Amino acid sequence: MARLPDVFLEWNYYARRALLQQFIDGVKVDPERFFLEFTRHNPALVTAACINGEIVLNAKIVGCGYVPREEYAMDVVRRLEEHLKLSDEEYSRAYGDGEKLRRLYEEHSLRGAKLLLQLVYHPRGVAEKYIDFEKLATVELAKRLRDRPRQTWNIVQHSRTASLLFFQPPSISFEVKGKITIHTDDIYHRLVTLIHDAYHYTPPEGRGDRPVYILHVEQVYDKSPTKSGFGRRIA
């Protein structure tokens, strides 16, 4: 395994922390800048496999996040479960009332952002203790939709080699390569889905059949069209 390099973490992890802090502080970010900042969260997940003699390739944009170290996982799970339980109770009371649901989603996101800042996005000098920077994670959201082709899910049944390709216009790009493990009913599944739901409230009926992919980092490349990039391996 390889650790995500500092140049990547400065651009991706610590910049996300700063954006969360701005959201919590009520700092208004214009929509253009917000969507540009959000590209740090949304790489393309690229997978490929040889299936029945044919090379099958797929790429899709995913939400990608960080994984707390195993020794801290249960505490993160406990606190995020309390957060989600509170919103579930509010959801059951607000069901069918559009205005109450809108407020619920806003309150859930703000409370969740504060928790993510405490539990997942730590300051420099502290983050290394709590976060496993040899892993990146995403939730498979398409598999639960029965009328979709499930291309990524089908491919990872045959090959666990994958790549996450990040791009932030106009010129920042990183590629993270590694091997995927699939989690459907373990501590990592609970942890990653709870981190996802901490900010993006998902009602109970929408939480089924959401496998988690964890990419175990093996190589990192700077793909930016700069003197330091153009495919230079940095980890």
Side-chain angles (χ1 to χ4, degrees), residues 49-67:
C50 183
I51 303 175
N52 298 324
E54 177 185 359
I55 300 297
V56 180
L57 175 70
N58 188 58
K60 68 173 181 176
I61 304 300
V62 298
C64 175
Y66 290 86
V67 182

Side-chain angles (χ1 to χ4, degrees), residues 158-172:
H158 299 271
S159 173
R160 300 298 176 87
T161 299
S163 176
L164 288 168
L165 181 62
F166 295 82
F167 174 57
Q168 184 178 57
S171 59
I172 298 174

Side-chain angles (χ1 to χ4, degrees), residues 13-25:
Y13 178 85
Y14 293 108
R16 291 199 210 184
R17 185 181 191 279
L19 189 63
L20 271 175
Q21 187 66 66
Q22 287 182 321
F23 174 70
I24 291 167
D25 293 342

Side-chain angles (χ1 to χ4, degrees), residues 1-14 16 64-67 69 128 131-137 164 166 174-178 215-221 234-235:
M1 295 298 104
R3 177 188 176 277
L4 292 165
D6 290 340
V7 65
F8 176 86
L9 293 174
E10 284 295 329
W11 170 76
N12 193 277
Y13 178 85
Y14 293 108
R16 291 199 210 184
C64 175
Y66 290 86
V67 182
R69 293 188 183 277
E128 197 79 37
I131 303 301
D132 187 346
F133 286 133
E134 295 183 355
K135 296 181 177 71
L136 287 168
L164 288 168
F166 295 82
F174 293 95
E175 183 180 15
V176 182
K177 296 183 179 182
L215 182 82
H216 300 260
V217 179
E218 294 180 341
Q219 302 169 10
V220 184
Y221 295 84
I234 55 176

Side-chain angles (χ1 to χ4, degrees), residues 32-198:
E32 291 81 5
R33 186 192 157 205
F34 177 80
F35 290 126
L36 191 63
E37 290 291 319
F38 221 71
T39 58
R40 306 175 202 270
H41 175 70
N42 292 122
L45 172 61
V46 183
T47 51
C50 183
I51 303 175
N52 298 324
E54 177 185 359
I55 300 297
V56 180
L57 175 70
N58 188 58
K60 68 173 181 176
I61 304 300
V62 298
C64 175
Y66 290 86
V67 182
R69 293 188 183 277
E70 192 170 354
E71 57 266 37
Y72 302 107
M74 282 308 302
D75 182 57
V76 175
V77 165
R78 178 184 59 79
R79 294 183 65 183
L80 292 182
E81 282 182 339
E82 291 172 355
H83 163 58
L84 193 58
K85 181 175 182 290
L86 180 58
S87 292
D88 284 346
E89 292 169 353
E90 293 295 323
Y91 178 78
S92 65
R93 289 192 287 266
Y95 190 80
D97 187 322
E99 181 59 26
K100 286 185 178 179
L101 287 173
R102 184 189 63 78
R103 288 201 302 270
L104 161 67
Y105 288 126
E106 291 177 353
E107 292 167 2
H108 176 87
S109 294
L110 180 57
R111 190 171 67 245
K114 291 177 180 178
L115 279 170
L116 290 176
L117 208 60
Q118 296 172 26
L119 302 172
V120 180
Y121 290 95
H122 301 278
R124 293 172 186 81
V126 177
E128 197 79 37
K129 176 181 177 181
Y130 292 101
I131 303 301
D132 187 346
F133 286 133
E134 295 183 355
K135 296 181 177 71
L136 287 168
T138 186
V139 181
E140 173 58 84
L141 298 176
K143 185 174 181 288
R144 57 186 171 167
L145 303 175
R146 301 303 176 189
D147 60 341
R148 302 302 192 274
R150 307 183 191 179
Q151 295 177 80
T152 299
W153 177 253
N154 292 334
I155 288 172
V156 297
Q157 307 310 306
H158 299 271
S159 173
R160 300 298 176 87
T161 299
S163 176
L164 288 168
L165 181 62
F166 295 82
F167 174 57
Q168 184 178 57
S171 59
I172 298 174
S173 182
F174 293 95
E175 183 180 15
V176 182
K177 296 183 179 182
K179 294 291 193 302
I180 281 178
T181 53
I182 300 173
H183 304 265
T184 58
D185 187 23
D186 62 6
I187 184 62
Y188 282 115
H189 181 264
R190 291 170 64 195
L191 182 64
V192 175
T193 53
L194 282 165
I195 291 173
H196 172 274
D197 294 345

